[in-house]
Amino acid sequence: TIVDGYISATPDGVLTGLDRDCLAWLGIPDIGASDCLAVECKSLDPRADLRGVARSHHTFQVQVQLGLLRAHTKFKPNFGLISYIDASFLDEVNEFAVAFDPSVFEAAQARAGAIMAATDPLDLSPEGKISGGAECRYCPWASHCAHVVVSGIPRADGPALGENALAELKALRDAERES
């Protein structure tokens, strides 16, 4: 595990001594002079559909791994490789290349610092909102998170609701959930 302040990563491996065109079959003609790749291996439920792209949280994980490897080891990979192995059919493998993006790594470091320094969870934006919200389309909690205005939730320092108002709000919530 590589730790740097509030951010850490545990890469599954680093392949070294590679030819510069080792990812040509994935559309990457040249990995640069580093001659190495970070590798992240994942098992995948056979019912999962990757839709032709790596999962966004795995791509982000590899970005952090690449940044930490580059900052704290002799290895300076420009790319990572995510390898998804079907958990039921081990010969079914999907692989995706991830190009290192220094701005994503810097954002990850800043986000980790903001999370650890926060004194109120309402001061933090939801994860999906930070990265543009695209993954919110697949999240089962989106209706309770990204599409809700968090700042509209009363804070503890405000006046407490009376029993009548609380009962009415619960009834409205239940009616909305049933529709």
Side-chain angles (χ1 to χ4, degrees):
T1 300
I2 305 167
V3 179
D4 184 349
Y6 292 125
I7 199 164
S8 66
T10 307
D12 287 339
V14 177
L15 297 176
T16 63
L18 301 173
D19 292 332
R20 291 177 74 133
D21 66 350
C22 67
L23 293 180
W25 62 281
L26 286 174
I28 310 294
D30 186 356
I31 65 166
S34 70
D35 89 339
C36 64
L37 294 174
V39 179
E40 184 62 26
C41 302
K42 301 289 185 190
S43 61
L44 193 65
D45 186 302
R47 297 166 291 183
D49 180 9
L50 291 174
R51 302 176 189 197
V53 296
R55 293 193 168 152
S56 60
H57 53 285
H58 296 152
T59 300
F60 184 76
Q61 177 183 8
V62 170
Q63 288 287 350
V64 172
Q65 292 171 357
L66 289 166
L68 290 173
L69 282 166
R70 292 167 64 89
H72 296 283
T73 73
K74 65 181 181 180
F75 305 107
K76 310 299 180 203
N78 296 318
F79 290 89
L81 183 69
I82 302 174
S83 184
Y84 291 101
I85 301 167
D86 190 301
S88 295
F89 304 98
L90 300 179
D91 60 334
E92 295 285 331
V93 178
N94 289 295
E95 294 182 314
F96 301 92
V98 178
F100 178 59
D101 183 339
S103 65
V104 172
F105 180 61
E106 290 168 13
Q109 289 177 304
R111 175 72 173 158
I115 289 169
M116 297 306 290
T119 57
D120 185 337
L122 294 177
D123 294 338
L124 300 170
S125 297
E127 290 292 328
K129 188 172 180 88
I130 291 170
S131 58
E135 63 276 294
C136 295
R137 291 178 288 182
Y138 309 107
C139 178
W141 306 108
S143 64
H144 301 291
C145 176
H147 299 300
V148 174
V149 179
V150 175
S151 62
I153 298 172
R155 294 181 181 253
D157 56 355
L161 294 175
E163 286 302 314
N164 291 341
L166 188 59
E168 182 63 26
L169 285 173
K170 285 181 179 179
L172 289 170
R173 177 206 60 198
D174 294 342
E176 187 274 331
R177 286 184 177 172
E178 290 175 8
S179 60

